[in-house]
């Protein structure tokens, strides 16, 4: 049996515990009293119906699906106060319902959200020539990878990664900003394969270091695979594979060993290989099967629609027409290859 003194000590102890409860617990208890509700046991939360309901999707996700850029690009636009919703400046975290007639503007230009409602994902394969920039416009008037792509209504092409001006080969474009964002993210480790011609004396010790990893200015890097494919003397060809797409990474890896890259062509992205017969500067829309391969690769649900008529045989790339189009930019590009 407890004595009077022990009861007093217990009472004081419990009072001290109540006073020392975390601030947020005391505030919740006060709110519960005000609302006339019983305060829940420690560690539990109020019923879901007491929390404000947030409807719709995140604004940057909707605009990315509508082909206005990647989610990261659109988040930057929102921070820069370039995006408005029904006349009010948007903030990060805003949600909208695309079926509610909401009006979204970027830089004062109203955005057609029909593409976001349909959610049709399209992907192009493009053979980038040397001399083209991976940018939408260039103040110096140089040729860009967007110059000859097919026009779209209510959407736009988003480049999946970049190739520098002196690199050619496979470049993917999509209308789905979320797909582009996930394919580019380093955590996905999507393989990129390049055919590279190097100038210099290459030995096995160099190749071993490049496979194991070397320290670059932006962190360690390495080739997942290196395969010799031909050449004699100091001009040799290799196929190399990476699982990320840092700026000029292939060139910088070879340069770390004192070897100069004289030619660089991207030939594969994931399991998508550069189409044989596709001339430089040419594009080809990818079939639904390959579109869904890319979506599955990054954890997105499959697409069910395609702009391609699956009942007709696939056309061959119109090499002659494409080469004529490329020729228009050749003289302009030569000035920037020096």
């Amino acid at each position: 049996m407890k004595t009077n003194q022990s009861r007093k000590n217990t009472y004081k102890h419990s009072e001290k515990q109540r006073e020392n409860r975390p601030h947020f617990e005391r505030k919740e208890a006060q709110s519960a009293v005000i609302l006339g509700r019983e305060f829940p046991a420690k560690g539990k939360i109020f019923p879901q119906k007491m929390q404000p309901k947030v409807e719709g999707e995140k604004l940057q996700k909707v605009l990315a699906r509508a082909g206005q850029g990647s989610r990261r690009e659109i988040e930057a636009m929102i921070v820069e106060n370039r995006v408005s919703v029904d006349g009010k400046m948007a903030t990060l975290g805003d949600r909208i319902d695309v079926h509610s007639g909401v009006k979204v503007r970027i830089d004062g230009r109203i955005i057609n959200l029909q593409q976001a409602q349909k959610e049709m994902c399209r992907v192009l394969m493009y053979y980038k020539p040397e001399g083209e920039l991976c940018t939408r416009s260039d103040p110096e008037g140089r040729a860009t990878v967007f110059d000859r792509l097919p026009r779209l209504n209510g959407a736009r092409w988003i480049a999946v990664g970049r190739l520098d001006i002196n690199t050619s080969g496979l470049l993917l474009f999509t209308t789905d900003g979320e797909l582009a964002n996930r394919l580019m993210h380093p955590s996905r480790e999507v393989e990129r394969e390049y055919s590279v011609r190097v100038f210099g004396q290459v030995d096995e010790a160099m190749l071993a270091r490049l496979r194991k990893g070397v320290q670059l200015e932006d962190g360690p890097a390495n080739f997942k695979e290196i395969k010799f494919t031909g050449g004699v003397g100091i001009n040799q060809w290799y196929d190399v594979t990476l699982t990320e797409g840092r700026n000029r990474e292939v060139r910088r890896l070879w340069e770390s060993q004192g070897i100069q890259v004289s030619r660089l062509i991207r030939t594969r992205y994931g399991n998508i290989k550069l189409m044989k017969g596709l001339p430089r500067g040419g594009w080809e829309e990818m079939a639904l099967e390959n579109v869904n391969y890319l979506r599955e690769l990054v954890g997105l649900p499959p697409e069910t629609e395609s702009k391609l008529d699956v009942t007709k045989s696939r056309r061959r790339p119109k090499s002659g027409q494409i080469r004529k189009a490329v020729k228009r930019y050749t003289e302009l590009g030569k000035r920037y290859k020096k």
Side-chain angles (χ1 to χ4, degrees), residues 60-127:
Q60 60 265 36
K61 185 176 181 180
V62 172
L63 291 177
R65 198 167 66 240
Q68 299 305 309
S70 68
R71 283 168 61 178
R72 189 176 301 174
E73 290 171 337
I74 294 167
E75 286 170 359
M77 294 180 194
I78 294 173
V79 171
E80 294 166 1
N81 292 326
R82 296 171 54 194
V83 183
S84 66
V85 179
D86 288 338
K88 296 181 180 180
M89 282 298 171
T91 59
L92 287 177
D94 284 356
R95 292 175 175 265
I96 63 170
D97 181 358
V98 294
H99 301 283
S100 64
V102 63
K103 289 183 172 58
V104 179
R105 290 178 171 85
I106 297 178
D107 296 329
R109 174 178 57 89
I110 194 162
I111 303 302
N112 186 348
L113 298 180
Q114 185 177 4
Q115 182 73 14
Q117 295 174 10
K118 287 184 176 179
E119 301 184 27
M120 182 184 293
C121 173
R122 299 172 65 185
V123 181
L124 290 185
M125 171 188 294
Y126 180 69
Y127 191 162

Side-chain angles (χ1 to χ4, degrees), residues 14-162:
S14 61
E15 281 291 309
K16 188 175 182 181
Q17 280 184 321
R18 282 193 290 271
E19 286 298 317
N20 289 334
R21 280 188 305 175
H23 175 70
F24 73 89
E25 286 189 15
R26 296 201 303 272
K27 293 291 288 184
E28 285 181 343
Q30 292 169 6
S31 301
V33 172
I34 293 171
L35 293 171
R37 297 177 182 271
E38 183 181 354
F39 183 67
K42 184 177 179 181
K44 295 188 178 181
I45 59 173
F46 287 106
Q48 187 66 30
K49 63 182 181 181
M50 293 183 60
Q51 300 182 12
K53 186 179 180 181
V54 180
E55 297 181 351
E57 295 180 272
K58 285 188 177 180
L59 177 59
Q60 60 265 36
K61 185 176 181 180
V62 172
L63 291 177
R65 198 167 66 240
Q68 299 305 309
S70 68
R71 283 168 61 178
R72 189 176 301 174
E73 290 171 337
I74 294 167
E75 286 170 359
M77 294 180 194
I78 294 173
V79 171
E80 294 166 1
N81 292 326
R82 296 171 54 194
V83 183
S84 66
V85 179
D86 288 338
K88 296 181 180 180
M89 282 298 171
T91 59
L92 287 177
D94 284 356
R95 292 175 175 265
I96 63 170
D97 181 358
V98 294
H99 301 283
S100 64
V102 63
K103 289 183 172 58
V104 179
R105 290 178 171 85
I106 297 178
D107 296 329
R109 174 178 57 89
I110 194 162
I111 303 302
N112 186 348
L113 298 180
Q114 185 177 4
Q115 182 73 14
Q117 295 174 10
K118 287 184 176 179
E119 301 184 27
M120 182 184 293
C121 173
R122 299 172 65 185
V123 181
L124 290 185
M125 171 188 294
Y126 180 69
Y127 191 162
K128 177 192 176 298
E130 294 179 1
E132 286 188 353
L133 295 171
C134 288
T135 183
R136 293 192 178 275
S137 61
D138 181 65
E140 299 178 36
R142 290 174 289 183
T144 80
V145 295
F146 293 93
D147 288 342
R148 289 185 297 278
L149 299 186
R151 295 183 180 274
L152 296 173
N153 292 320
R156 68 174 184 169
W157 296 114
I158 303 165
V160 180
R162 305 167 71 91

Side-chain angles (χ1 to χ4, degrees), residues 105-317:
R105 290 178 171 85
I106 297 178
D107 296 329
R109 174 178 57 89
I110 194 162
I111 303 302
N112 186 348
L113 298 180
Q114 185 177 4
Q115 182 73 14
Q117 295 174 10
K118 287 184 176 179
E119 301 184 27
M120 182 184 293
C121 173
R122 299 172 65 185
V123 181
L124 290 185
M125 171 188 294
Y126 180 69
Y127 191 162
K128 177 192 176 298
E130 294 179 1
E132 286 188 353
L133 295 171
C134 288
T135 183
R136 293 192 178 275
S137 61
D138 181 65
E140 299 178 36
R142 290 174 289 183
T144 80
V145 295
F146 293 93
D147 288 342
R148 289 185 297 278
L149 299 186
R151 295 183 180 274
L152 296 173
N153 292 320
R156 68 174 184 169
W157 296 114
I158 303 165
V160 180
R162 305 167 71 91
L163 295 175
D164 66 55
I165 190 170
N166 293 319
T167 300
S168 63
L170 175 62
L171 190 61
L172 298 179
F173 292 86
T174 179
T175 56
D176 188 332
E178 179 65 14
L179 175 62
N181 186 60
R182 293 195 186 193
L183 285 171
M184 290 184 284
H185 201 280
S187 65
R188 299 292 174 174
E189 297 186 343
V190 180
E191 287 188 356
R192 290 93 155 158
E193 186 175 348
Y194 297 80
S195 181
V196 52
R197 185 177 69 190
V198 298
F199 180 79
Q201 294 291 343
V202 179
D203 55 39
E204 285 300 322
M206 286 181 185
L207 298 179
R209 287 193 293 270
L210 290 172
R211 290 189 184 98
K212 184 177 180 181
V214 298
Q215 186 67 33
L216 302 178
E217 58 268 27
D218 54 354
N222 70 293
F223 290 127
K224 184 178 179 180
E225 293 181 10
I226 308 176
K227 180 182 177 183
F228 175 72
T229 56
V232 293
I234 57 176
N235 281 297
Q236 300 180 15
W237 283 91
Y238 289 87
D239 285 347
V240 298
T241 304
L242 293 168
T243 55
E244 57 183 358
R246 281 188 264 170
N247 184 40
R248 300 184 71 255
E249 188 171 3
V250 174
R251 296 179 187 274
R252 290 188 292 136
L253 275 165
W254 284 105
E255 289 168 1
S256 72
Q257 305 303 304
I259 302 297
Q260 190 70 33
V261 172
S262 57
R263 189 88 184 273
L264 185 60
I265 308 168
R266 184 154 73 187
T267 57
R268 179 171 62 87
Y269 199 102
N271 283 348
I272 304 299
K273 295 182 179 180
L274 185 62
M275 181 187 297
K276 291 183 179 180
L278 185 67
R280 288 181 306 151
W283 58 266
E284 182 79 5
E285 182 150 1
M286 292 173 55
L288 187 60
E289 178 184 1
N290 285 333
V291 171
N292 283 335
Y293 158 73
L294 292 172
R295 295 181 66 82
E296 182 181 358
L297 190 64
V298 294
L300 288 174
E303 178 60 84
T304 57
E305 298 181 74
S306 174
K307 286 287 185 180
L308 299 180
D309 188 347
V310 295
T311 63
K312 294 181 180 180
S313 60
R314 297 293 303 278
R315 67 172 177 83
R316 290 187 176 183

